[in-house]
Each structure stands twice: as C-alpha cells, then as structure tokens.
Amino acid sequence: MSEIRINITLIDDHLLLSESLGKLLRKYEFIKDIQTFKSPEEFLAATSATEPDIIISDILMPGMSGIDLLTHYKKINKKIKIILLSSILEVQTIRHAMRNGASGYLAKDTSPDELADAILTVYHGEPYIGESLRKSLIRNSFTEDQFVYNLSPREKEVLNWVCSGKTIKETAYEMNLSVNTVQTYYKSILKKFNLNRTADLIVFAIQNGLYNPQK
C-alpha cells in the first residue's frame, strides 16, 4: 500500500468543503499530494499545477459543471480518472456520467474510508459506484430490461425514427404505415416509459442505450 503514491485534485465551488475533505484524505498513506480548486475553470487555467492521477469533482457548480469538465478533460487526457462526488443521486444522471467516462460516482455523504476505497479502485483501472447507490442502479437495470423486453419490434423501429428527428408523419412514410398507426405506437412507447414529450423520450433513449445518435 505504501508504494502507491497518488496525486489528487479536488474541485468544488464550496472551497471549505473540499479543503476539509483534503485534510481527511491526507491521513491515508497512499495519498501523495492534494490540490483544491473552486471551479473547473480555475483548475484548467492552473497550467503550473501538478498533473493529477485522479480528479474528484462535484457536478453542480457555477459555469462549467462536473459533467462538462469530464467530457472536456477526457479529450485532453484520455487516461485521466475522474470521480464525481455529488448530491445528485438520480439514476439517469449516474448512468450518463459513467457512460461519458467517469471512473467513479459517490454520494457526498459517503465516508472518507469509502472514498479512499474508491480512489484505490479507480487508480487500478476499475470503476466504482458508491455503496448507497448500487441498489438503485440494480433495481433500475431490471426495470430498463423490462422496458426493452416490452417494446415490440414496431415500437423499437418507431422509437429509432423519432429519436433520429423524424416527425410522426415522416416516420409513417418511412415505415409505410398510416399516421394513426404510428401515433398509436408512439403513445404506447411514452406510456411504457412514463414520459410525456418527444424531447424527454429522446433524452431517456440516449441515456439508457436505446438509441445511439452517432450510428
């Protein structure tokens, strides 16, 4: 354990909280150095700062968010490991973060020992989800599988066309079906996913891997 020396960067607009967390983490022998920043912009501007092994960032911050930092910095350093430590515990946000390259995601009320475990886990190349979040993710996974299972082949096709930007009328033309028939499929999909708008449906489909806009 003592042979591992990890450089950590903490980013949170509540600087007092990040400095307090830094003090707690410094008691672990594997921590080499900790730098704190009050925003992603401040971190990115600190060109003289030591390149971190792991970034630990909040999500909700003025200006650039933790997710913005994640997608931006991954383009600069593909190997960087980023742990999001947030009060946002909504399942879709967690999935979105992990799919966009986060190495870990923990609730802000996690214990220092669990955060230390998460740091070691992601340092060795494995993802880490906080213990308090795992049950929700597992339960949601089963629910998503049920959603996908309940979509008929026609409904999946309608979902794909709608998510690609087609209107109901255009989808009907592409599928060689009547507008009323496609409208029925569309309403059925919304009901199964408990959604009300096309915009929400597209976001839900992308976040849950039901539609890939780059294909």
Side-chain angles (χ1 to χ4, degrees), residues 2-204:
S2 59
E3 295 179 359
I4 299 173
R5 303 291 285 166
I6 303 174
N7 288 314
I8 300 289
T9 287
L10 295 173
I11 304 175
D12 195 313
D13 58 314
H14 296 96
L15 196 57
L16 182 62
L17 294 178
S18 58
E19 288 179 347
S20 297
L21 180 57
K23 289 180 180 178
L24 290 172
L25 288 176
R26 283 186 176 91
K27 72 178 184 179
Y28 297 96
E29 292 183 1
F30 59 83
I31 298 295
K32 180 179 180 181
D33 183 49
I34 297 178
Q35 298 181 94
T36 58
F37 298 91
K38 63 182 179 182
S39 70
E41 292 90 343
E42 185 182 64
F43 163 67
L44 293 172
T47 54
S48 61
T50 302
E51 182 75 11
D53 298 303
I54 297 174
I55 296 173
I56 300 174
S57 176
D58 190 12
I59 289 183
L60 290 179
M61 292 176 284
M64 182 180 285
S65 71
I67 299 291
D68 293 335
L69 171 67
L70 173 66
T71 55
H72 175 80
Y73 205 69
K74 278 286 185 177
K75 295 176 183 178
I76 299 173
N77 183 350
K78 293 182 179 180
K79 295 183 179 180
I80 191 66
K81 297 174 175 62
I82 300 179
I83 296 174
L84 295 175
L85 190 66
S86 179
S87 58
I88 301 177
L89 308 182
E90 196 266 326
V91 170
Q92 303 309 328
T93 300
I94 300 171
R95 287 187 176 278
H96 180 64
M98 299 302 287
R99 285 172 177 157
N100 278 274
S103 299
Y105 199 111
L106 295 94
K108 269 199 166 183
D109 61 357
T110 190
S111 69
D113 284 344
E114 184 181 10
L115 179 56
D117 287 340
I119 290 171
L120 287 173
T121 299
V122 303
Y123 181 78
H124 287 105
E126 297 294 329
Y128 189 96
I129 300 292
E131 291 182 8
S132 63
L133 307 176
R134 293 173 196 166
K135 287 184 179 180
S136 295
L137 285 170
I138 292 171
R139 182 168 59 250
N140 185 261
S141 294
F142 283 118
T143 304
E144 287 174 10
D145 289 342
Q146 189 64 33
F147 281 151
V148 176
Y149 178 79
N150 283 337
L151 287 184
S152 70
R154 284 293 198 187
E155 287 172 339
K156 291 178 182 178
E157 193 173 354
V158 169
L159 176 64
N160 188 71
W161 282 117
V162 170
C163 287
S164 69
K166 299 291 185 182
T167 64
I168 296 299
K169 185 176 180 180
E170 290 169 337
T171 299
Y173 175 81
E174 296 289 349
M175 296 179 66
N176 196 26
L177 297 172
S178 71
V179 172
N180 286 339
T181 298
V182 172
Q183 186 72 35
T184 300
Y185 285 133
Y186 172 73
K187 288 181 178 179
S188 175
I189 295 167
L190 289 178
K191 184 177 180 180
K192 288 180 178 179
F193 293 159
N194 194 28
L195 300 170
N196 297 310
R197 303 183 306 162
T198 299
D200 295 332
L201 176 62
I202 293 172
V203 171
F204 180 89

